[in-house]
Every structure is written in structure tokens, then in C-alpha cells.
């Protein structure tokens, strides 16, 4: 693969694939539940596929091949003997070793050439402290697990590794007593966050006498958690490639959406900022116990050298190869220390990156636990092509590709396919974004895949105005689901049926036919052939709509009609439960909110326009009361979906909200 320097800036919005680490863990924890789990935005790389493959070998049903899978555990997992091929994935091998030890599975875990060189004793040893019998092959794969009953223990880990920690945690769930686990240093904490979010028996306890935090795992007490539904936030490690690229290509302005903002993963942001990178972080929501949001990166004037060591080096360990590329383009001498574990990754990343730096003719000094790099800014470089090897390592392949894209000379990368382990689509995405600097051609527009957009939120947040404008901008169908509930309310009223009687209202909901027709000046609501646009907006119908919409059979009856009206993409649906119930698979979800005071003010304006008198305090009180009722009701309560972007119209005006939404939808239409 020859990567040529970019001739134009990268501008636009990128939706990142699901995080690799969180995806592995979500799959494994789903396998330990009693019932099926639903995982969306799963990492699409080969490593996550390896975990799915191994789980299938253990008898777990994993349905769906893409980013959305359903995981259904069998009554009992296979006890083996079984061979689990983890391909290139160290996380799969280490975590599954712990899981098999816990479940008492007789298993042999194997991997590819690169994985077979990676250290496995680090996981065998602490598992042995729980009584597990794990044999490695000279400290490497193949790794064999022989079933043994496990006891609880106090385990002090010697290796700073989230994979080792997680392996012990998985095994400890099946030990006879509780296990206390101490890490030498804090590592990424996805396992702890996910387990806490899913209700698995794990607690993180405060510091003990040596100032360490204990992770306490209690064994399952006969009851396993039921299944769960999670949406996996995007991969910060993939974000790091964009951050360095956009910082160094003049004129660039990229927003990475859906990125996990877990502080144990975003160490690279601090490092790059210290070097002069312009990175803005905005939190947008929380899912699987993880905060997530946007990273906006604008080209930096220039980058300056920095030093990375100690805890910071551990927190950014996977991003250090791409940080080395940033250092190679920075002014001055940078240093990385305390990063000896880089040598134990998919390749010896210190050596592999030294080879890349050598090919780029950048002065550097290799050390046992790091590297020193004397950077040369791009405009002072000689444009000579560099030739490098990916060394079967995705992060080396992608780091080298970024260097080639920055230029000034092309980069030839042997074995670039390794990038597929985490982010095979990277170069394709870069192409799309550099194209976005021009107005999109008809052909580019025609290639877009229309998606389903869900907009939920309380009354008065501005949903109708925003949805209408967004649908116009996108050329999408607008489905006002409130109008469907209102139509049912109108028919209930006319039929003289008691609106509180769910069984009496349900047949009306089952037979109602609502359509939307485009008319001059807007959309008309047709109910059973009659234009009810105005009739459904009376105060009486509004009140009745909020009553009939609380009935479970009514909501169930209206699901089909809402889904039919939306079709298979190219629709904006606004309502209360679109992202959570009607279209949990919607590709873009928004939760539009506004402060109750602001919504009360808007309601006052509406009333004033109709010459109706009202008192602010009373209106505000009603709004607060309804919010509490809507979010507490047990049928489809009003709440943001885990993957919904939270937008607050108190702070943003309508055009700002609409363009924010449009940017995100466009990023997902590709
Ligand atoms: O958005 P609206 O005011 O037109 O909604 C009318 C009523 O229907 C409101 O009381 C909430 C209810 N509704 C609902 O429960 N779920 C939806 N998806 C849409 C509306």
C-alpha cells in the first residue's frame, strides 16, 4: 500500500467505530448472563470477531455479523475440550483464559504468529493464585486451561495490564469466596464500569493501608444477571490517528463523534494538547458506564516537543506509536519513558516505530523503556519516499499511514492489511473527508445511505420545529408520532369511549390509519381519510392524548404504524420513545431538552399568541409535574437512549441545533 500526502485539508464529521476493549468485554459478559443481550455499535475489527468466534465455539449463539449482535448463552456452556483460536487478539486470549478457568472449561487457546510471541505467564500466574491450572508454552500460546475449583484470594498483580486484571475478575466470579485484587497502577477500567452498569457483583473499594484501591469481586450467588442492552461508545485509540492527522494537515477541522471519553483512555489528548494541538472535548452522553462525546480537532499552528513518562505513559500506551509520529513532526527533542510494555504488544512497538522513524530520516534513540525523537516539521523535510513494514501490527500500519498522509513524501507500507484488526476503513474515511471540502457532487449524494433519525424529548424543547427543519434539510420524511397519539385521542373523544379504559381505547389504536400529506405550507395529518391537522391541536385533545398514551396496549398497537411510516431509512421521527422503543436501532438519535423555565416561557408565548391568560409559576409547576410523571411511568418512560446525543435548546438556538444534527446524520449516511 502506498499512501500519498494529502493535497487538501480534512474537514467534516467522522463517526468512529465502537471501542475494541469495551466490545470484547460486552461480548464476554453477555455470555455469562441468563438470557439474550443486545449489543450495538460493536467494534467491527478482526479482534472483536475473534472473541465472537471463540464464544460460538463455547456454544454461545452470536447472531448478526456487523455492528449489531444478539448474544444468547446456552443453558450451559460447553465444557470442552475445545480449541479457541484468538487470531491476533491478545485481549481475547487473556480474557478468555480467565473466563474458561472460571467456568471450568477444558480449553486450548491459540493465536497467530504475532500473538504467539506475546507474554501469557502474566495471566497464568495470578489465575493460579485462585487455584486455576493454566499451562503456557514457554510463557506463550498455546495456553491450556484445565478445570479446577477456584477459591477466593487476595491477588496483588505484578503487571500493569487491564487484560490481566480482567482475566482475574472473570475467573473470580466463579470462585468459592470473594476475591480482592490490587493493581500496581490504575489501568483502563472498562471491565469495572461495565460490570457496575450491568449489575455484576463487583465493587471498587477505597484505599487500604498501602494506599491501594481494591477491586472486590464476589462470586455469582446462583443467580446470573438477565441479559442486557448496551451501545458501545467509539474507540478513542482510533480517534488518536485522526487527532494527529488533523493537527498536522493545515486547514483541517474534524469532529469525531461518539468517542468514549473514559479518562483512562484519553491520556493522548493531554499529551497532544501539551504539544500545541487544538482539541476541544464535549461530553454528549453516557453508555455502558462510560462517558462519551465529541473531539473536535483543528490544525495546529505547530507542534512542540514533549516528554511522556510514568503514569501518563501507561494511560496512553496504545496511542504511543501515533504520538511518536506527532513527535516526529514536532519542533525539538521529545522523550517517551516508562513504556517498556510497548515491546510486548502485537509487535515490539519501540523497534517497529524506530524503523518507521528511520525510514522517515528522523533522528531517534531507542531505549529499553522508550525512545527519544528529534522532530522535524513537515516544511523542513526532504520529500523522499519512505518504505516501512507494518510488522503484523495494526497500530504500526495506521501510524505509518498517518505519516504518509501528512507528507511531504509518500509512504509505502508492506502488510498494511494489519490495520483491519481495529480500523480497516481508516484510509477510506480519510478520502471521504478530504472530498467534503468541495460541495458534494450528485454522484456523492446518490451514494449516501439514508438512515433513521430519532428525536425524543419533553414537550416544549423545540422538537417539532427542529424536526421539521432537519427533515427538509435532509430531504427525509417527517413522522410526527405525537400526531398519531393525538389522532387516537380525537377518535376516542368522538366515540365517547372512556379514555382511561385501556381495553376500550386499544381497538381504536389498532384500527387507526394515520398518514402525512405534503401540502403547501406544511404537512397535513390525515386520520382515516379525514384531514385532522387542526382538530388534533385543541387543548382537550392534547390532554386526552397524554392520557391514552399511558396505556400499554395502545402503545403496542401504534408501534407498527410508526415503523411503517418511517420505512427503511430516510425518516426523521419525533416523539418520546423513538430511540428507546420504536427504533432502538435508529442510526442517529437525539434527545432535545431545555430547562423547565425556558419551556415555561415558550408555553407562555404560545398562550399569549392565542390571547389566553396564564400565570408563569402555574405553567412552570405543570411542566415540572409532567416531566416527573413522564419519566417515572413504567410504560416507555421518557428518557434518553444510551446512544442519544443530548442537546439543550436553552443554550443553542434552532439553527444551531439543526446544523449540529445535520452534521451528525451526514456522517452516518456513508
Ligand atoms: O408531541 P405531542 O405533544 O404532539 O404528543 C402528544 C401526546 O402523545 C403527548 O402527551 C405525549 C404522547 N406521545 C407519546 O407518549 N409518545 C410519542 N412517541 C409521542 C407522543
Amino acid at each position: 500500500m502506498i499512501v500519498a500526502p494529502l493535497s487538501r485539508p480534512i474537514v467534516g464529521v467522522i463517526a468512529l467505530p465502537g471501542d475494541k476493549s469495551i466490545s470484547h468485554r460486552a461480548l464476554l459478559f453477555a455470555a455469562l448472563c441468563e438470557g439474550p443481550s443486545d449489543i450495538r455499535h460493536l467494534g467491527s475489527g478482526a479482534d472483536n470477531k475473534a472473541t465472537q468466534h471463540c464464544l460460538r465455539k463455547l456454544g454461545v449463539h452470536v447472531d448478526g455479523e456487523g455492528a449489531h449482535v444478539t448474544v444468547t448463552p446456552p443453558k450451559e456452556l460447553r465444557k470442552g475440550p475445545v480449541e479457541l483460536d484468538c487470531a491476533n487478539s491478545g485481549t481475547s486470549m487473556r480474557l478468555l483464559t480467565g473466563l474458561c478457568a472460571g467456568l471450568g472449561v477444558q480449553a486450548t487457546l491459540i493465536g497467530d504468529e504475532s500473538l504467539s510471541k506475546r507474554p501469557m505467564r502474566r495471566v497464568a500466574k495470578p489465575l493460579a493464585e485462585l487455584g486455576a491450572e493454566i499451562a503456557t508454552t514457554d510463557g506463550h500460546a498455546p495456553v491450556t486451561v484445565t478445570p479446577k475449583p477456584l477459591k477466593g484470594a487476595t491477588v496483588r498483580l505484578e503487571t500493569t495490564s487491564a487484560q490481566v486484571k480482567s482475566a482475574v475478575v472473570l475467573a473470580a466470579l466463579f470462585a468459592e469466596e470473594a476475591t480482592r485484587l490490587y493493581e500496581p497502577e490504575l489501568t483502563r477500567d472498562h471491565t469495572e464500569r461495565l460490570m457496575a452498569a450491568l449489575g455484576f457483583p463487583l465493587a471498587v473499594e477505597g484505599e487500604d493501608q498501602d494506599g491501594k484501591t481494591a477491586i472486590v469481586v464476589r462470586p455469582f450467588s446462583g443467580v446470573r444477571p438477565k441479559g442486557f442492552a448496551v451501545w458501545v461508545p467509539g474507540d478513542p485509540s482510533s480517534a488518536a490517528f485522526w487527532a494527529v492527522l488533523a493537527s498536522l494537515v493545515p486547514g483541517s477541522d474534524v469532529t469525531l463523534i461518539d468517542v468514549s471519553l473514559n479518562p483512562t483512555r484519553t491520556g493522548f489528548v493531554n499529551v497532544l494538547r501539551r504539544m500545541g494541538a487544538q482539541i476541544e472535548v464535549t461530553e454528549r452522553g453516557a453508555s455502558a458506564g462510560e462517558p462519551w462525546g465529541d473531539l473536535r480537532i483543528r490544525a495546529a499552528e505547530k507542534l512542540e516537543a514533549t516528554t511522556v513518562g510514568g503514569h501518563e505513559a501507561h494511560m496512553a500506551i496504545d496511542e504511543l506509536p501515533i504520538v511518536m509520529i506527532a513527535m516526529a513532526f514536532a519542533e525539538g527533542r521529545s522523550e517517551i519513558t516508562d513504556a517498556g510494555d510497548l515491546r510486548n504488544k502485537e509487535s515490539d512497538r519501540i523497534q517497529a516505530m524506530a524503523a518507521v522513524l528511520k525510514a522517515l530520516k528522523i533522528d531517534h534513540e531507542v531505549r529499553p523503556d522508550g525512545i527519544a525523537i528529534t522532530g522535524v516539521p513537515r516544511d523542513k523535510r526532504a520529500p523522499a519516499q519512505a518504505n516501512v513494514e507494518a510488522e503484523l501490527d495494526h497500530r504500526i500500519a495506521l501510524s505509518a499511514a498517518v505519516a504518509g498522509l501528512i507528507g511531504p513524501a509518500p509512504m509505502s507500507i508492506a502488510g498494511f492489511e494489519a490495520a483491519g484488526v481495529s480500523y480497516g476503513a481508516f484510509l477510506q474515511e480519510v478520502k471521504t473527508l478530504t472530498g467534503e471540502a468541495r460541495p458534494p457532487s450528485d454522484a456523492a449524494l446518490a451514494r449516501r445511505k439514508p438512515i433513521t433519525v430519532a428525536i425524543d424529548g419533553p414537550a416544549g424543547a423545540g422538537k417539532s420545529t427542529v424536526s421539521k427543519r432537519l427533515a427538509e434539510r435532509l430531504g427525509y420524511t417527517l413522522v410526527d408520532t405525537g400526531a398519531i397519539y393525538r389522532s387516537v385521542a380525537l377518535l376516542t373523544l368522538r366515540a365517547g369511549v372512556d379514555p382511561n379504559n385501556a381495553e376500550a381505547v386499544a381497538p381504536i389504536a389498532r384500527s387507526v390509519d394515520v398518514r402525512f400529506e405534503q401540502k403547501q405550507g406544511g404537512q397535513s395529518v390525515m386520520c382515516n381519510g379525514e384531514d385532522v391537522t387542526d382538530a388534533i391541536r385543541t387543548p382537550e385533545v392534547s390532554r386526552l392524548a397524554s392520557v391514552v398514551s399511558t396505556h400499554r396496549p395502545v402503545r403496542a398497537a401504534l408501534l407498527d404504524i410508526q415503523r411503517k411510516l418511517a420505512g427503511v431509512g430516510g425518516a426523521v421521527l419525533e416523539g418520546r420513545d423513538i430511540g428507546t422503543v420504536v427504533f432502538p436501532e435508529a442510526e442517529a438519535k437525539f434527545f432535545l431538552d431545555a430547562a423547565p423555565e425556558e419551556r415555561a416561557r415558550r408555553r407562555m408565548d404560545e398562550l399569549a399568541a392565542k390571547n389566553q391568560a396564564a400565570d408563569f409559576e402555574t405553567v412552570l409547576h405543570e411542566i415540572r409535574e409532567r416531566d416527573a410523571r413522564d419519566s417515572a411511568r413504567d410504560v416507555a418512560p421518557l428518557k434518553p437512549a444510551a446512544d442519544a446525543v443530548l442537546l439543550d435548546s436553552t443554550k443553542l438556538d434552532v439553527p444551531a441545533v439543526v446544523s449540529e444534527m445535520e452534521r451528525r446524520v451526514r456522517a452516518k449516511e456513508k
Side-chain angles (χ1 to χ4, degrees):
M1 162 76 69
I2 298 196
V3 180
L6 294 176
S7 57
R8 48 170 92 233
I10 41 171
V11 178
V13 181
I14 275 289
L16 285 177
D19 182 63
K20 192 155 83 71
S21 291
I22 304 173
S23 297
H24 281 302
R25 288 157 175 82
L27 288 163
L28 295 173
F29 287 121
L32 298 183
C33 287
E34 290 235 309
S37 294
D38 187 75
I39 310 175
R40 281 174 298 118
H41 202 229
L42 189 73
S44 51
D47 273 13
N48 288 147
K49 296 250 159 55
T51 290
Q52 294 177 50
H53 165 80
C54 293
L55 286 178
R56 288 194 177 106
K57 294 264 308 235
L58 292 173
V60 179
H61 297 279
V62 185
D63 299 311
E65 282 295 323
H68 181 185
V69 299
T70 309
V71 180
T72 314
K75 267 222 153 59
E76 209 170 329
L77 289 167
R78 266 180 218 135
K79 292 287 185 229
V82 61
E83 183 179 84
L84 302 176
D85 185 350
C86 302
N88 190 244
S89 174
T91 313
S92 308
M93 185 169 281
R94 296 196 178 108
L95 270 58
L96 280 161
T97 300
L99 188 85
C100 289
L103 291 167
V105 177
Q106 171 79 52
T108 304
L109 296 100
I110 58 164
D112 70 4
E113 185 192 329
S114 139
L115 180 54
S116 302
K117 288 185 191 145
R118 299 180 63 184
M120 292 299 151
R121 200 166 278 139
R122 52 173 63 191
V123 64
K125 196 162 169 253
L127 285 173
E129 292 179 41
L130 300 183
E133 188 178 325
I134 317 280
T136 65
T137 312
D138 269 343
H140 302 100
V143 174
T144 312
V145 181
T146 306
K148 284 277 145 71
L150 302 186
K151 55 188 194 300
T154 294
V155 180
R156 292 182 188 275
L157 296 176
E158 289 163 15
T159 326
T160 304
S161 158
Q163 293 174 355
V164 175
K165 165 176 68 179
S166 304
V168 176
V169 167
L170 281 163
L173 284 169
F174 300 90
E176 270 160 26
E177 308 87 20
T179 293
R180 291 179 79 80
L181 187 64
Y182 293 93
E183 298 190 85
E185 241 185 271
L186 176 72
T187 58
R188 60 180 66 175
D189 59 356
H190 302 303
T191 297
E192 295 93 306
R193 284 172 184 262
L194 192 59
M195 287 175 81
L198 301 179
F200 276 68
L202 171 139
V204 178
E205 286 186 358
E207 296 175 355
D208 68 3
Q209 62 273 40
D210 18 313
K212 290 244 149 85
T213 306
I215 297 169
V216 183
V217 186
R218 288 179 216 291
F220 281 132
S221 48
V223 251
R224 305 266 182 99
K226 294 200 185 75
F228 55 82
V230 292
W231 174 83
V232 179
D235 193 346
S237 299
S238 299
F241 298 109
W242 288 102
V244 171
L245 182 63
S247 293
L248 286 161
V249 175
S252 295
D253 184 350
V254 174
T255 304
L256 307 171
I257 59 174
D258 303 345
V259 192
S260 161
L261 298 178
N262 181 323
T264 63
R265 295 292 298 284
T266 51
F268 73 95
V269 172
N270 300 335
V271 174
L272 293 177
R273 275 184 175 157
R274 204 160 61 229
M275 298 177 77
Q278 305 294 311
I279 307 179
E280 207 178 290
V281 181
T282 311
E283 198 171 315
R284 298 282 185 193
S287 179
E290 306 265 336
W292 59 272
D294 301 350
L295 297 183
R296 180 176 180 186
I297 303 114
R298 276 170 276 199
E301 294 253 313
K302 62 170 185 175
L303 293 187
E304 283 171 2
T306 192
T307 301
V308 181
H311 185 60
E312 189 174 53
H314 293 151
M315 289 282 93
I317 193 87
D318 284 345
E319 292 70 54
L320 290 181
I322 186 63
V323 166
M324 291 183 206
I325 296 294
M327 289 172 164
F329 285 91
E331 201 112 30
R333 187 175 156 90
S334 293
E335 273 188 28
I336 294 177
T337 58
D338 307 310
D341 216 27
L342 279 177
R343 296 190 183 275
N344 299 319
K345 299 288 177 176
E346 283 83 333
S347 67
D348 175 340
R349 286 185 175 158
I350 296 179
Q351 282 308 340
M353 284 308 294
V356 173
L357 295 168
K358 183 163 175 237
L360 289 168
K361 301 196 167 49
I362 294 292
D363 263 352
H364 61 279
E365 187 193 317
V366 170
R367 309 216 176 114
D369 71 337
I371 196 163
I373 299 171
T374 307
V376 181
R378 180 182 187 276
D379 50 5
K380 295 188 185 137
R381 297 260 180 104
Q385 174 169 324
N387 301 304
V388 301
E389 283 265 352
E391 310 261 0
L392 303 175
D393 187 334
H394 55 126
R395 305 234 189 263
I396 304 301
L398 290 160
S399 300
V402 169
L405 291 166
I406 297 167
M411 173 74 90
S412 159
I413 309 167
F416 180 76
E417 318 74 67
V421 156
S422 62
Y423 201 8
F426 177 65
L427 286 180
Q428 192 53 44
E429 299 260 36
V430 170
K431 252 196 220 157
T432 329
L433 277 213
T434 46
E436 278 205 17
R438 297 167 297 192
S441 65
D442 290 350
L445 276 179
R447 272 200 306 276
R448 291 183 185 281
K449 182 176 82 57
I451 63 168
T452 302
V453 182
I455 303 182
D456 290 303
K463 283 194 313 291
S464 334
T465 320
V466 160
S467 307
K468 183 164 172 277
R469 291 213 204 160
L470 180 69
E472 280 165 13
R473 290 263 282 267
L474 297 168
Y476 278 21
T477 312
L478 173 65
V479 183
D480 167 6
T481 62
I484 306 172
Y485 285 94
R486 286 170 180 273
S487 297
V488 172
L490 178 69
L491 297 180
T492 304
L493 178 71
R494 286 187 183 163
V497 164
D498 174 7
N500 291 303
N501 182 345
E503 293 316 316
V505 183
I508 300 180
R510 280 187 209 112
S511 64
V512 74
D513 175 30
V514 177
R515 293 166 202 223
F516 298 97
E517 273 181 17
Q518 293 311 317
K519 296 252 169 84
Q520 205 113 44
Q523 195 162 265
S524 294
V525 184
M526 306 299 290
C527 169
N528 296 343
E530 175 196 345
D531 186 335
V532 296
T533 315
D534 297 323
I536 58 170
R537 300 285 155 195
T538 66
E540 191 173 19
V541 173
S542 298
R543 194 184 59 76
L544 284 184
S546 86
V547 177
V548 300
S549 66
T550 57
H551 303 320
R552 196 182 290 275
V554 171
R555 301 200 74 88
L558 296 184
L559 277 180
D560 243 14
I561 180 165
Q562 295 177 76
R563 290 179 184 151
K564 269 199 198 112
L565 285 167
V568 288
V572 173
L573 290 96
E574 61 136 317
R576 304 291 192 284
D577 60 343
I578 309 301
T580 48
V581 177
V582 183
F583 271 105
E585 294 172 43
E587 292 90 338
K589 296 183 189 173
F590 302 98
F591 193 86
L592 187 61
D593 208 346
E597 292 76 11
E598 174 64 23
R599 289 188 279 133
R601 250 188 307 276
R602 290 176 192 167
R603 181 79 188 125
M604 291 291 287
D605 290 347
E606 272 171 30
L607 292 170
K610 291 187 199 155
N611 280 327
Q612 291 172 7
D615 155 59
F616 182 80
E617 288 306 319
T618 311
V619 170
L620 179 61
H621 178 72
E622 279 169 9
I623 283 182
R624 286 193 195 281
E625 239 180 18
R626 197 174 49 198
D627 283 358
R629 202 170 46 230
D630 286 353
S631 22
R633 72 173 182 221
D634 21 310
V635 198
L638 177 65
K639 61 164 192 213
D643 49 340
V645 170
L646 307 179
L647 293 171
D648 189 336
S649 70
T650 322
K651 298 178 198 139
L652 294 168
D653 61 9
V654 168
V657 172
V658 174
S659 59
E660 186 59 44
M661 290 179 170
E662 188 186 0
R663 275 157 30 97
R664 286 167 190 276
V665 173
R666 292 295 186 207
K668 298 193 173 193
E669 279 180 328
K670 288 185 280 251

